Amino acid sequence: TQFLPNITLGFHIYDSYYNSRMTYRTTLDLLFKSQEFVPNYRCDSQKNLMAIIGGLGSDTSSNIAEVVGFYKVPQVSMEEMSTKILYLVQSSLHFMVPKEDHQYVGIIQLLHHFRWTWIGIFTMDNNNGERFLQKMQPILSQNGICSSFIQRLSQLIHIEHYTELYHMVSSSFTNMRKSNTTTFLVYGESLTITGLRTIMLIADPENKQTALFGNVWILTAQIDFVLSGFQISWDLQMFHGAISFSVHSRAVVGFKEFLQTINPHSGYKDGFLQDVWEQLFDCSLSKSELQETSNRQCLEENKLEDLPTPVFEMDMTGQSYSVYNAVYTVAHALQALLISGFNKEKTMMGRKSDLPYLQPWQINCFFKSPFAKKFYIYHQVLPISLCNDHCSPGYWKKEAEGKQFCCYDCVPCPEGKISNQKEDHYSNKEKKECILKPIVFLTFEETLGIGLGTAALCFFFLTSCVLGTFIKHRDTPIVKANNRSLTYTLLVSLQLCFLSSLLFLSQPGKVICLLRQPTFGITFSVAISSVLSKTITVVVAFMATKPGSQMRKWVGKRLAVSIVLSFSLLQVCLCILWLSTSPPFPEMDMQSELQEMVLQCNEGSAFFFYCVLGYMGILAIASFIVAFLARKLPDSFNEAKFITFSMLAFCSVWISFFPAYLSTKGKAMVAVEVFSILSSSAALLGCIFLPKCYIIVLRPDLNHREQLIKRNYPCFS
């Protein structure tokens, strides 16, 4: 189909001069003025207004919308507007640009990408600027970005308001010069760049300090790099390397060639083109009234492509592309309306619709917004924009009091620490390099390990000698008098106790960690159960000697064996429950030592660990109480006093173990437990068996039944 056949679209261009009153009056003139201005009356049938394309600034479009919204005249806007205006004229207002929220997301992504967390903000001193700050500031805070200052720029300041102009210029320049930020976010409109350049020129005419800033500028899509009028000779070097968001645009076929062929000297007289040409080239065309006021005439050789880019761009900018789309959107909407009206009239009345009878409100339903939702970023530089410089190695960030959360003080790291340090490394003396921590554990190769291991082996062989002595003299009275089977059980369990300490001196692994605590707990429980059984057996034996006593049936080996087995099995069950629920496992302790990683066993469950120790403590206390109560029985057959002293020593060792164990870390913790095992086992061995060995080996003349009955010997006293 033919596009708008036999229809020519005309246009009027009006300047708002950034003045609301002028915008309102111009809009009314557009609607009603013909030969004279008569509000709400249209006297010119040739002037058929179908749509309005709003200005680049949202204030201008809002002022227009407030007027034309009553008459449902469609307006195509280039910027987002306030919610209040949208509510009033939503049916007749159409947008050619995406929502600004897309830019906010892009700004945050950009700042995060380059790690710019300390920025300055310039914004327009109007409703749009306040709306931008209300939306943007919470987003910046949520993403860890701070603003060093917020400078509001007046859209237009008349020269008579010189006080306001001076205040804005001085505050803007001071913020840029004194703040330590290198990144500025600018939210504005098409002439914002011109305003910023004017401020810098007034504050620094010779451009000495401005050139030293070395800043990067982030500009929103509404801003255009343009100079006009007396600013044509200025440069925009201070914005070199700026990052600008841009509304998506495409190359328009034939647009550049069209610009190259424009020439106001041709026969066709276009007043608008002549005015633009004179402003761009700062000259006057062949008009008698201008020749008297201008000394420079425009040359035929003048071409638009020869002008600097800030003055005139040969490529279609994002704003120009939006206007281009807006014109075509209106044209397509009008075409759709004509087709719809033509088909309807042809069907119902058999005749075509007449274009002059079309009303502007009729095409509101045929608008389709063609804008893209993507944005494009162009960048050239990568400066650093932080509230503080990065902390040097050997320093860490401490929150600075009275400043924003992006700011911090660099404080020297503690001994052995370095900034960005991994847990498995430590710093050198200069705190500039990381050194890998070696893996250490308590082993036989170091002095402490050699000492503990040697002591464990010595006590093991000593216990073996005692066991061998008792086996050799098993038929002697002193051995028989103290229950040989319990004595052998106690000595074997003590041997295993000494050997279990060697598990703590081995490299922690999965098997070692699983075995060492349960082995220690079970062997000690057997030893203490044997001591308790010996004491109870003696008490029961003396109670059975009383006439008519019911305790005689308990006298014998069955009582001793049942006591040892029952109390030992209870500890075995506790250890099995421990290993099945929260078994110990090897782990690397990187915190205890500054320059070492300690390989150790994590007990898995502290509850079960202390339950095992607590159970042994209960058995030891029970043995101590029974032995203490039986200390006054006949000495010849009684070793209760020795058991009392051995249990007293045993309990003293393990009571002191807990504070020592909890107050140490790393290898020292393991050494404390090994020492407690050796010392408590040695206490049992020494207090119970050394007096007997003294009689067996050194005083065999006392090892007779008659001697034991007749006399009190020191070994039994």
Side-chain angles (χ1 to χ4, degrees), residues 463 466-471 473-474 477-495 526-527 529-531 533-534 537 560 564 639 643 684-685 688-690 692-693 696:
T463 308
V466 173
L467 178 60
T469 301
F470 272 68
I471 293 174
H473 300 87
R474 60 184 177 278
I478 197 170
V479 177
K480 289 181 177 181
N482 291 281
N483 197 324
R484 283 179 297 186
S485 60
L486 285 180
T487 300
Y488 298 154
T489 303
L490 178 57
L491 288 172
V492 172
S493 63
L494 286 177
Q495 283 182 313
V526 173
S529 297
S530 300
V531 173
S533 179
K534 288 170 69 71
T537 300
V564 173
E639 56 181 348
I643 293 175
L684 292 178
L685 178 65
I688 295 177
F689 292 103
L690 286 185
K692 298 179 179 62
C693 291
I696 294 173

Side-chain angles (χ1 to χ4, degrees), residues 49-224:
L49 177 66
M50 300 305 298
I52 296 176
I53 298 176
L56 294 179
S58 62
D59 287 345
T60 301
S61 296
S62 297
N63 294 334
I64 296 173
E66 290 179 11
V67 176
V68 301
F70 294 108
Y71 306 98
K72 304 301 180 183
V73 177
Q75 180 189 179
V76 183
S77 176
M78 304 300 159
E79 274 202 36
E80 191 174 349
M81 296 186 188
S82 65
T83 307
K84 179 180 178 181
I85 299 298
L86 289 176
Y87 178 77
L88 293 175
V89 295
Q90 56 184 346
S91 62
S92 60
L93 188 60
H94 311 278
F95 294 97
M96 297 305 301
V97 292
K99 291 185 177 181
E100 290 184 359
D101 294 349
H102 298 296
Q103 288 194 76
Y104 303 157
V105 175
I107 290 171
I108 296 300
Q109 291 178 351
L110 178 69
L111 295 175
H112 269 305
H113 178 75
F114 293 114
R115 299 180 181 178
W116 294 330
T117 60
W118 187 244
I119 65 173
I121 298 178
F122 289 93
T123 183
M124 299 303 297
D125 190 11
N126 56 18
N127 293 334
N128 292 337
E130 293 302 320
R131 185 174 69 247
F132 169 78
L133 292 177
Q134 290 176 4
K135 290 185 177 181
M136 199 66 194
Q137 283 185 297
I139 300 176
L140 292 173
S141 299
Q142 293 169 10
N143 289 272
I145 301 169
C146 300
S147 57
S148 59
F149 66 86
I150 297 176
Q151 180 64 53
R152 292 171 172 82
L153 303 175
S154 297
Q155 189 175 32
L156 190 65
I157 298 180
H158 296 283
I159 194 64
E160 60 266 20
H161 301 150
Y162 62 90
T163 305
E164 182 181 351
L165 176 63
Y166 173 77
H167 175 72
M168 185 179 67
V169 170
S170 60
S171 61
S172 300
F173 192 75
T174 300
N175 285 329
M176 292 182 62
R177 183 165 51 88
K178 292 188 176 181
S179 66
N180 56 348
T181 181
T182 59
T183 301
F184 300 125
L185 172 62
V186 183
Y187 175 86
E189 298 177 350
S190 57
L191 296 180
T192 300
I193 289 295
T194 303
L196 279 173
R197 188 64 186 93
T198 303
I199 290 173
M200 295 301 106
L201 181 67
I202 296 175
D204 184 19
E206 298 182 3
N207 202 31
K208 292 182 179 180
Q209 299 186 48
T210 307
L212 300 177
F213 286 159
N215 301 317
V216 61
W217 299 81
I218 301 175
L219 311 175
T220 55
Q222 298 86 346
I223 298 176
D224 195 8

